[in-house]
Amino acid sequence: MEGKEEDVKVGATKFPEKQPLGTSAQTHKDYKDPPPAPLFEPHELISWSFYRAGIAEFVATFLFLYISVLTVMGVDREPTKCTSVGVQGIAWAFGGMIFALVYCTAGISGGHINPAVTFGLFLARKLSLTRAVFYIIMQTLGAIAGAGVVKAFQKTQYELLGGGANYVNHGYTKGDGLGAEIVGTFVLVYTVFSATDAKRKARDSHVPILAPLPIGFAVFLVHLATIPITGTGINPARSLGAAIIYDKERAWDDQWIFWVGPFIGAALAAMYHQIVIRAIPFKSRA
């Protein structure tokens, strides 16, 4: 039992708890954080890897919308949820596709597949504004194309079954929907930060390999919780792509919720992870 009292006093990481606000907890680190990305990176515009990453985001978001919208339509087509995969099946489709697509594209573009994820990583200076804007454009175009292909294959069914468009369901207020999108996106983006953390990757060799799994699982769990409220957006490109192709008033009435909510949630997750969890210093120790 010796040493227990000391552990309690100084914390599990063996660093004193009386730490000046805004300073790093550790002065000597056994890992190295990547340098902050510049705000503008003009040299990216002449690099093939930059455009290759954008194409990867386009294709990944295209496939994500294609599979997920078809799954939603398949459930809505049945008179009862018991004769289909149900809400759990929809959640698995969204989470499973994110797991697979992040695994496939992480080494090329980072596997964002979501403007909210891109926005959160940009706020943490993990990528430049140039790349962030390019990613969001390609993700949005990919989502539109994915929903468009579903409609092209099944136009009548697409129109009848709502095309996987997001809106606040009956019995819930717009405030309920906004809150669900904020918290749901916070869960997702916080998981992304934790799964790709440089400190964890340096100390646990399995973390980079397993990173897509917790990200996909976070998407699955958020869908289970928020499908009854908003159909679950937490991805502005997914919501906009379905709304543009479906193009009905109901899909456009609440569209702002599926942009404002995820962006707020992503910003809060970035701040929480960088300032509280990682204690990234904004001033140096004396």
Side-chain angles (χ1 to χ4, degrees):
M1 296 299 290
E2 291 183 5
K4 293 294 182 181
E5 184 177 353
E6 178 189 358
D7 289 345
V8 172
K9 287 182 178 179
V10 301
T13 57
K14 303 293 184 182
F15 295 104
E17 292 183 356
K18 291 184 178 180
Q19 169 193 342
L21 183 63
T23 60
S24 174
Q26 295 172 252
T27 56
H28 302 289
K29 302 188 292 187
D30 57 357
Y31 64 95
K32 185 177 181 180
D33 285 306
L39 186 60
F40 296 103
E41 188 60 65
H43 296 294
E44 289 183 321
L45 299 177
I46 58 173
S47 169
W48 164 240
S49 63
F50 175 77
Y51 295 100
R52 181 181 62 180
I55 293 169
E57 288 293 310
F58 174 89
V59 172
T61 316
F62 167 84
L63 295 173
F64 177 58
L65 263 288
Y66 179 77
I67 297 298
S68 59
V69 169
L70 277 177
T71 305
V72 172
M73 288 172 55
V75 171
D76 291 341
R77 185 175 183 176
E78 299 298 328
T80 65
K81 296 292 190 293
C82 296
T83 57
S84 68
V85 296
V87 171
Q88 293 87 348
I90 294 174
W92 275 120
F94 277 84
M97 279 303 292
I98 289 297
F99 167 63
L101 294 169
V102 170
Y103 178 83
C104 292
T105 60
I108 303 170
S109 66
H112 297 190
I113 324 170
N114 185 335
V117 172
T118 300
F119 180 66
L121 293 173
F122 164 70
L123 292 180
R125 300 194 65 184
K126 304 292 185 182
L127 71 165
S128 67
L129 177 62
T130 312
R131 186 174 291 265
V133 171
F134 183 52
Y135 276 15
I136 291 173
I137 292 172
M138 297 301 284
Q139 291 158 358
T140 303
L141 292 176
I144 294 169
V149 169
V150 175
K151 184 175 181 178
F153 288 166
Q154 304 182 32
K155 184 173 183 180
T156 302
Q157 293 295 322
Y158 189 91
E159 296 288 349
L160 290 174
L161 300 174
N166 286 122
Y167 45 79
V168 178
N169 289 313
H170 294 300
Y172 295 96
T173 67
K174 293 186 185 299
D176 296 333
L178 182 62
E181 290 297 305
I182 291 173
V183 176
T185 310
F186 180 94
V187 172
L188 170 59
V189 177
Y190 176 41
T191 303
V192 169
F193 273 102
S194 298
T196 58
D197 189 282
K199 179 178 179 180
R200 297 188 65 194
K201 287 197 292 185
R203 297 180 178 180
D204 301 312
S205 60
H206 65 277
V207 168
I209 301 172
L210 295 179
L213 182 59
I215 295 171
F217 199 62
V219 172
F220 164 71
L221 293 174
V222 171
H223 274 75
L224 283 182
T226 60
I227 283 176
I229 305 172
T230 62
T232 308
I234 67 171
N235 184 332
R238 171 260 187 274
S239 300
L240 182 63
I244 287 176
I245 300 301
Y246 183 55
D247 198 25
K248 302 292 183 184
E249 185 178 351
R250 189 180 187 189
W252 289 114
D253 284 345
D254 302 325
Q255 185 61 209
W256 67 272
I257 290 174
F258 301 101
W259 283 84
V260 174
F263 273 51
I264 292 175
L268 292 174
M271 292 170 57
Y272 175 65
H273 184 267
Q274 295 295 96
I275 297 174
V276 179
I277 299 301
R278 283 298 308 279
I280 302 295
F282 50 83
K283 61 183 178 181
S284 59
R285 284 187 172 185

